[in-house]
Each structure stands twice: as structure tokens, then as C-alpha cells.
Amino acid sequence: MNISRNILSVYAILAAMAVAASCAKEGSSETNADNKAFFDAWMSVNHPSATSTGLGVYIIDDQPGTGQVLTDDDLYILCEYTSRDLDGNINGTTDEMTARRIGTFSNSKYYGPVWIFNLKSYTQAGVIDMIRGMRVGGTRTAVIPGWLNVTQDYDTAEEYLKKSSGENIIYTIHITDITDDIDEWQVDALEKYVAENMGGVDSTMFGYYYKQVKEPTDTASFPKDTTFYINYTGRLLNGKVFDTNVEDTAKVYGLYSPGTTYAPRYVTKKEDFKETTMAASSSSSGTTLVDGFSYCLSGLKAHEKGICAFYSSLGYGYSGSGDAIPRFAPIIFEIEVVDYTE
């Protein structure tokens, strides 16, 4: 993985909980009649006493939370989840211990709470229905029929049954937080992190913080079109390292790859910090970077070392980056300007 700017469509960006979700597709009354007959028979055998919601989701376990009640105004929901098929096979989880148990764990993957959207256009209708009325801290398990395991916004259960089809699924969802302002939530999280880990430095622009760890050997800033070398390590707020060009660090955090060249990266500073590029060597083609990272580079001086932290609008935004960085994730980079001869 690299720290190049992610260019994704907003629709791809907003596809929530994609590991377990099935894409909506046009169904037929006949096909879904068969599916419904199978689903109803399965429920009668496995959960005969369960009752459905108005949309047709069956809640089979509910452990109420004590925190804030989820309302329609809370657009963003921070949650942990595990999904299973009707045979009990796990096909998606945010829990590290579960991933280890079923043999899907990877050091390069993020585990922990993820943000989903409280909108049926972006999160499966059945998921939205199952979490309705939950409180923060609560955990709920529900069986969702395939025609509700889709990101379609219809008004009635009958419309879903007639127009949509997907895979039957069982979700266990634990809500850890909710908000209607994701930027404010991230800044609050950053302020807490900065107070505990960066000496409480002030932000230099909205959602961005910098702490100098080692003073530069020259107080003059690099002029535009200057080239220099850096070492860097990127982390999430929970300390998870997602990227580094330092071999020992990669080994410590289980990210080492024999096919990767671990050496200082070649930076070309531009007048507009957003055009700053980074490459593996002076002969390599440079790539632009996420804004928070390039903004930090634009202010560094000779042999300076520092830590920058910034919210997702200066990072990977709505999409995150692969399996390593979830959506709406504030991130931290430790960067040092170093001497290097290729």
C-alpha cells in the first residue's frame, strides 16, 4: 500500500460494509416467492419464536446499551460487526480475535469499529432496519432475508420483495458511537490523541496538528523545487501501523515484504504543497500524496523530525484505503528528513 491520493467515485466510497453486502439486483415475484418460502421454512426450524420488524428483519438477540439512542438524524454510526450465512459460516468481521479464529487474520488489515451510513441508499436496508432504536453500547443479532440485504431505498416490505434480491445473512452488530457531524467527531478524537501523545500542541489549520520531535540543522525552509529524502511511518489513532519505508519498523509490525525496497523516499517540494511528490528514488516517477502528508512535508527543514496528525478530509476521506485504513480515519505520520545517497 502507498500514501498516494485515492481517486474513487463517491458511489464506491459510500458502499458500506461491502465485505458482507450483496449488490442489489432486479428480482422477480416468482424468484422471490421461492426465496421467501425457503427463508420462512428456515426461520420456522431455527428461530420459530422470532417475530419480524415491519420491514421483515428478524431480531434473534438484543442486548440493550445504555448510551445515546440512535435516531434518523444520526447519519454516521460507528459499529463492530460479524456476518454469517444461514449455515453459520462467517463471511465478514471487524473483530481481530474472530478473524484469528477462522484463519483470515492479516497484519495489514484494520480491525475495530467502522463507520456506516444511516441511509438505505448506502447501507443495506435490513441493517438500517435491525439497528433502529438501538442505544450506543448495545449489541443486536438479526436474520436478514436476501431481498433486504441490498442498498435500495423502498418504502415497503412488499416493494423489496418484488424488486430486490440478494443473499440471506445473519448480522451481529455492536454500536460504539453515533454522530451527525463526522468532522467534529474526528477533531474531538484528534484533540484527545494530541493531548495524550503530542504534548497538546495547537492545530495549525482545521483538523491538522504538528509536533517537532527533533530540531532542524538549518532554520531556513526548503525552497520550491527542492528535493530531499525522508523516512516515514504512518499510524492510525489506535497505534496500528499501516505503512512505513523503514525495514525494522515493517518487521516489528508484521508488514515486512521481501519484494519491497526499504530505503529513504525521494521528495520533490513544489510551490503548491498539494503538488509535492514522493518516489522510491530520484529516477522513479513521483506520485502526489494525501493533503495532510504533503502539507507536513512542505514545512519541514533539513534533518527535522516531526509528527503530524490530521483528520480524514486531509487523508483518505470517505473511502479509507484498502483493508488498512477505514473510512473517516484520522491518521498520524512520523517523518524525518535524512541524508541518503542512492
Side-chain angles (χ1 to χ4, degrees):
M1 114 149 246
N2 58 48
I3 52 176
S4 300
R5 192 177 285 124
N6 245 341
I7 304 175
L8 298 174
S9 72
V10 69
Y11 299 104
I13 286 170
L14 296 176
M17 299 171 78
V19 171
S22 299
C23 293
K25 59 183 179 181
E26 290 300 316
S28 68
S29 297
E30 294 78 10
T31 298
N32 276 335
D34 292 341
N35 292 340
K36 189 175 188 305
F38 169 81
F39 182 83
D40 290 346
W42 187 90
M43 286 297 304
S44 68
V45 171
N46 293 276
H47 301 284
S49 61
T51 57
S52 69
T53 65
L55 201 57
V57 169
Y58 289 82
I59 297 171
I60 58 175
D61 185 65
D62 191 11
Q63 302 172 39
T66 58
Q68 183 180 348
V69 178
L70 175 65
T71 71
D72 291 342
D73 292 331
D74 298 309
L75 180 57
Y76 308 95
I77 305 166
L78 188 63
C79 65
E80 299 167 317
Y81 72 90
T82 296
S83 61
R84 300 171 174 85
D85 62 25
L86 296 191
D87 292 325
N89 300 307
I90 295 174
N91 51 31
T93 187
T94 60
D95 180 65
E96 180 177 331
M97 294 304 296
T98 299
R100 288 182 183 276
R101 178 168 57 82
I102 64 176
T104 60
F105 173 80
S106 170
N107 276 314
S108 62
K109 184 175 181 180
Y110 165 80
Y111 296 95
V114 294
W115 289 102
I116 64 172
F117 297 84
N118 192 15
L119 295 169
K120 289 188 287 186
S121 299
Y122 302 125
T123 301
Q124 302 97 291
V127 169
I128 297 298
D129 200 46
M130 75 171 279
I131 64 177
R132 193 177 303 279
M134 287 184 67
R135 289 180 177 271
V136 172
T139 302
R140 187 173 283 178
T141 300
V143 186
I144 300 176
W147 54 92
L148 295 177
N149 188 28
V150 295
T151 53
Q152 294 286 342
D153 190 0
Y154 299 129
D155 292 327
T156 66
E158 290 73 19
E159 286 183 280
Y160 282 101
L161 187 61
K162 290 179 180 179
K163 298 179 180 179
S164 300
S165 61
E167 298 296 325
N168 302 318
I169 199 163
I170 304 170
Y171 265 118
T172 297
I173 294 179
H174 173 73
I175 295 181
T176 64
D177 211 347
I178 54 181
T179 186
D180 59 357
D181 189 331
I182 195 65
D183 289 344
E184 180 181 353
W185 188 96
Q186 290 182 74
V187 169
D188 286 346
L190 278 166
E191 290 280 357
K192 181 178 179 181
Y193 179 90
V194 167
E196 294 176 352
N197 300 280
M198 296 174 59
V201 296
D202 293 329
S203 61
T204 55
M205 67 176 176
F206 185 79
Y208 178 90
Y209 304 80
Y210 179 75
K211 178 182 180 181
Q212 186 182 83
V213 176
K214 186 178 75 174
E215 292 184 359
T217 54
D218 189 334
T219 58
S221 298
F222 291 128
K224 66 177 181 178
D225 296 322
T226 297
T227 59
F228 55 93
Y229 288 92
I230 65 164
N231 285 327
Y232 72 88
T233 297
R235 303 174 187 268
L236 301 177
L237 290 190
N238 65 2
K240 173 74 174 179
V241 172
F242 60 80
D243 193 19
T244 184
N245 70 320
V246 181
E247 183 172 335
D248 287 345
T249 302
K251 289 179 176 178
V252 167
Y253 290 96
L255 300 178
Y256 177 76
S257 172
T260 299
T261 299
Y262 293 94
R265 294 295 187 258
Y266 184 80
V267 173
T268 301
K269 178 181 176 179
K270 299 294 185 181
E271 184 170 8
D272 182 350
F273 75 89
K274 294 183 179 181
E275 296 178 359
T276 295
T277 62
M278 187 173 73
S281 68
S282 59
S283 60
S284 302
S285 177
T287 58
T288 54
L289 310 163
V290 294
D291 287 350
F293 190 82
S294 57
Y295 182 74
C296 185
L297 292 177
S298 71
L300 292 178
K301 303 176 179 66
H303 303 110
E304 182 176 0
K305 183 177 182 179
I307 301 172
C308 59
F310 47 89
Y311 76 143
S312 66
S313 290
L314 296 173
Y316 295 94
Y318 299 98
S319 64
S321 180
D323 291 333
I325 304 175
R327 62 171 55 88
F328 299 123
I331 52 179
I332 303 104
F333 281 100
E334 180 180 300
I335 308 172
E336 182 176 12
V337 180
V338 295
D339 293 324
Y340 182 66
T341 301
E342 296 183 35

Short mmCIF file of all heavy atoms in Angstrom, two decimals, residues 115 185-187 189-190 235-238 242 309-312 325-332:
data_model
loop_
_atom_site.label_atom_id
_atom_site.label_comp_id
_atom_site.label_asym_id
_atom_site.label_seq_id
_atom_site.Cartn_x
_atom_site.Cartn_y
_atom_site.Cartn_z
N TRP A 115 -17.23 3.00 10.40
CA TRP A 115 -18.38 3.89 10.21
C TRP A 115 -19.28 3.36 9.09
O TRP A 115 -18.80 2.98 8.03
CB TRP A 115 -17.92 5.30 9.84
CG TRP A 115 -17.28 6.03 10.95
CD1 TRP A 115 -15.94 6.24 11.14
CD2 TRP A 115 -17.93 6.66 12.07
NE1 TRP A 115 -15.72 6.96 12.30
CE2 TRP A 115 -16.93 7.23 12.88
CE3 TRP A 115 -19.28 6.79 12.44
CZ2 TRP A 115 -17.23 7.93 14.05
CZ3 TRP A 115 -19.58 7.48 13.61
CH2 TRP A 115 -18.56 8.05 14.39
N TRP A 185 -16.54 14.96 15.15
CA TRP A 185 -16.18 13.74 15.90
C TRP A 185 -14.69 13.45 15.74
O TRP A 185 -14.01 13.13 16.72
CB TRP A 185 -17.00 12.57 15.38
CG TRP A 185 -16.86 11.32 16.21
CD1 TRP A 185 -17.69 10.89 17.19
CD2 TRP A 185 -15.80 10.35 16.12
NE1 TRP A 185 -17.22 9.71 17.74
CE2 TRP A 185 -16.06 9.36 17.11
CE3 TRP A 185 -14.67 10.21 15.34
CZ2 TRP A 185 -15.23 8.25 17.31
CZ3 TRP A 185 -13.83 9.11 15.53
CH2 TRP A 185 -14.11 8.14 16.50
N GLN A 186 -14.18 13.57 14.52
CA GLN A 186 -12.76 13.30 14.28
C GLN A 186 -11.85 14.31 15.00
O GLN A 186 -10.82 13.93 15.57
CB GLN A 186 -12.47 13.33 12.78
CG GLN A 186 -13.06 12.17 12.01
CD GLN A 186 -12.67 12.26 10.56
OE1 GLN A 186 -11.53 12.00 10.18
NE2 GLN A 186 -13.61 12.65 9.72
N VAL A 187 -12.23 15.57 14.95
CA VAL A 187 -11.42 16.59 15.61
C VAL A 187 -11.40 16.36 17.12
O VAL A 187 -10.35 16.51 17.76
CB VAL A 187 -11.92 18.00 15.26
CG1 VAL A 187 -11.25 19.05 16.14
CG2 VAL A 187 -11.64 18.31 13.78
N ALA A 189 -11.62 13.47 18.56
CA ALA A 189 -10.73 12.32 18.76
C ALA A 189 -9.27 12.74 18.62
O ALA A 189 -8.40 12.28 19.38
CB ALA A 189 -11.07 11.22 17.75
N LEU A 190 -8.99 13.61 17.66
CA LEU A 190 -7.63 14.10 17.48
C LEU A 190 -7.16 14.95 18.66
O LEU A 190 -6.01 14.83 19.11
CB LEU A 190 -7.54 14.93 16.19
CG LEU A 190 -7.37 14.14 14.90
CD1 LEU A 190 -7.64 15.04 13.69
CD2 LEU A 190 -5.97 13.53 14.81
N ARG A 235 0.44 5.76 11.02
CA ARG A 235 -0.34 5.02 12.02
C ARG A 235 -1.78 5.53 12.07
O ARG A 235 -2.07 6.66 11.67
CB ARG A 235 0.24 5.21 13.43
CG ARG A 235 1.70 4.82 13.60
CD ARG A 235 2.18 5.20 15.00
NE ARG A 235 3.62 5.01 15.16
CZ ARG A 235 4.18 3.90 15.62
NH1 ARG A 235 3.39 2.89 16.01
NH2 ARG A 235 5.48 3.79 15.72
N LEU A 236 -2.65 4.68 12.60
CA LEU A 236 -4.00 5.11 12.97
C LEU A 236 -3.96 5.61 14.42
O LEU A 236 -2.95 5.43 15.12
CB LEU A 236 -4.97 3.95 12.84
CG LEU A 236 -5.09 3.32 11.44
CD1 LEU A 236 -6.03 2.12 11.48
CD2 LEU A 236 -5.55 4.34 10.42
N LEU A 237 -5.05 6.20 14.88
CA LEU A 237 -5.06 6.72 16.25
C LEU A 237 -4.91 5.62 17.29
O LEU A 237 -4.47 5.89 18.41
CB LEU A 237 -6.37 7.47 16.51
CG LEU A 237 -6.57 8.82 15.79
CD1 LEU A 237 -7.79 9.52 16.36
CD2 LEU A 237 -5.34 9.71 15.90
N ASN A 238 -5.28 4.39 16.94
CA ASN A 238 -5.12 3.28 17.89
C ASN A 238 -3.71 2.72 17.91
O ASN A 238 -3.44 1.73 18.60
CB ASN A 238 -6.13 2.17 17.60
CG ASN A 238 -5.90 1.49 16.26
OD1 ASN A 238 -4.96 1.81 15.53
ND2 ASN A 238 -6.76 0.55 15.92
N PHE A 242 0.19 1.28 9.43
CA PHE A 242 -0.35 0.83 8.15
C PHE A 242 0.65 0.99 7.01
O PHE A 242 0.46 0.40 5.94
CB PHE A 242 -1.65 1.56 7.82
CG PHE A 242 -1.53 3.06 7.72
CD1 PHE A 242 -1.03 3.67 6.58
CD2 PHE A 242 -1.93 3.87 8.77
CE1 PHE A 242 -0.93 5.05 6.49
CE2 PHE A 242 -1.83 5.25 8.70
CZ PHE A 242 -1.32 5.84 7.54
N ALA A 309 -0.58 14.93 12.59
CA ALA A 309 -1.84 14.18 12.75
C ALA A 309 -2.93 15.01 12.09
O ALA A 309 -2.98 16.23 12.24
CB ALA A 309 -2.14 13.96 14.23
N PHE A 310 -3.81 14.34 11.37
CA PHE A 310 -4.85 15.09 10.67
C PHE A 310 -6.10 14.24 10.42
O PHE A 310 -6.06 13.02 10.41
CB PHE A 310 -4.32 15.66 9.34
CG PHE A 310 -3.55 14.68 8.50
CD1 PHE A 310 -4.18 13.88 7.56
CD2 PHE A 310 -2.16 14.58 8.63
CE1 PHE A 310 -3.46 13.01 6.77
CE2 PHE A 310 -1.44 13.70 7.84
CZ PHE A 310 -2.08 12.91 6.90
N TYR A 311 -7.21 14.96 10.23
CA TYR A 311 -8.49 14.25 10.03
C TYR A 311 -8.61 13.77 8.60
O TYR A 311 -7.80 14.10 7.73
CB TYR A 311 -9.65 15.11 10.48
CG TYR A 311 -10.10 16.24 9.58
CD1 TYR A 311 -11.45 16.54 9.45
CD2 TYR A 311 -9.20 17.04 8.89
CE1 TYR A 311 -11.90 17.57 8.65
CE2 TYR A 311 -9.64 18.09 8.08
CZ TYR A 311 -11.00 18.34 7.98
OH TYR A 311 -11.44 19.37 7.18
N SER A 312 -9.64 12.97 8.35
CA SER A 312 -9.71 12.22 7.08
C SER A 312 -9.91 13.10 5.86
O SER A 312 -9.59 12.68 4.75
CB SER A 312 -10.82 11.17 7.14
OG SER A 312 -12.10 11.77 7.22
N ILE A 325 -6.83 1.13 6.10
CA ILE A 325 -7.32 2.40 6.66
C ILE A 325 -8.83 2.48 6.44
O ILE A 325 -9.29 2.56 5.30
CB ILE A 325 -6.63 3.60 5.99
CG1 ILE A 325 -5.10 3.48 6.13
CG2 ILE A 325 -7.11 4.90 6.62
CD1 ILE A 325 -4.34 4.56 5.40
N PRO A 326 -9.61 2.47 7.51
CA PRO A 326 -11.06 2.56 7.35
C PRO A 326 -11.50 3.96 6.95
O PRO A 326 -10.73 4.91 7.04
CB PRO A 326 -11.58 2.18 8.73
CG PRO A 326 -10.49 2.61 9.66
CD PRO A 326 -9.20 2.38 8.92
N ARG A 327 -12.74 4.07 6.50
CA ARG A 327 -13.28 5.39 6.14
C ARG A 327 -13.32 6.30 7.35
O ARG A 327 -13.44 5.86 8.49
CB ARG A 327 -14.67 5.27 5.51
CG ARG A 327 -15.73 4.68 6.42
CD ARG A 327 -17.12 4.79 5.82
NE ARG A 327 -17.19 4.19 4.51
CZ ARG A 327 -17.46 2.91 4.26
NH1 ARG A 327 -17.66 2.08 5.27
NH2 ARG A 327 -17.53 2.46 3.04
N PHE A 328 -13.20 7.59 7.09
CA PHE A 328 -13.25 8.63 8.13
C PHE A 328 -12.21 8.41 9.23
O PHE A 328 -12.47 8.68 10.40
CB PHE A 328 -14.64 8.70 8.76
CG PHE A 328 -15.74 9.03 7.79
CD1 PHE A 328 -16.82 8.18 7.64
CD2 PHE A 328 -15.69 10.18 7.02
CE1 PHE A 328 -17.84 8.48 6.75
CE2 PHE A 328 -16.70 10.49 6.13
CZ PHE A 328 -17.78 9.62 5.99
N ALA A 329 -11.01 7.95 8.85
CA ALA A 329 -9.98 7.66 9.84
C ALA A 329 -8.97 8.80 9.94
O ALA A 329 -8.27 9.09 8.98
CB ALA A 329 -9.26 6.36 9.49
N PRO A 330 -8.84 9.46 11.10
CA PRO A 330 -7.72 10.36 11.31
C PRO A 330 -6.42 9.54 11.29
O PRO A 330 -6.41 8.39 11.73
CB PRO A 330 -7.98 10.94 12.71
CG PRO A 330 -9.42 10.69 12.98
CD PRO A 330 -9.74 9.42 12.26
N ILE A 331 -5.35 10.11 10.79
CA ILE A 331 -4.08 9.37 10.71
C ILE A 331 -2.92 10.22 11.18
O ILE A 331 -3.00 11.45 11.23
CB ILE A 331 -3.82 8.83 9.29
CG1 ILE A 331 -3.92 9.93 8.24
CG2 ILE A 331 -4.74 7.68 8.96
CD1 ILE A 331 -3.65 9.44 6.82
N ILE A 332 -1.83 9.52 11.53
CA ILE A 332 -0.63 10.15 12.06
C ILE A 332 0.56 9.70 11.23
O ILE A 332 0.66 8.52 10.88
CB ILE A 332 -0.38 9.75 13.53
CG1 ILE A 332 -1.59 10.10 14.39
CG2 ILE A 332 0.86 10.40 14.09
CD1 ILE A 332 -2.43 8.90 14.74
#
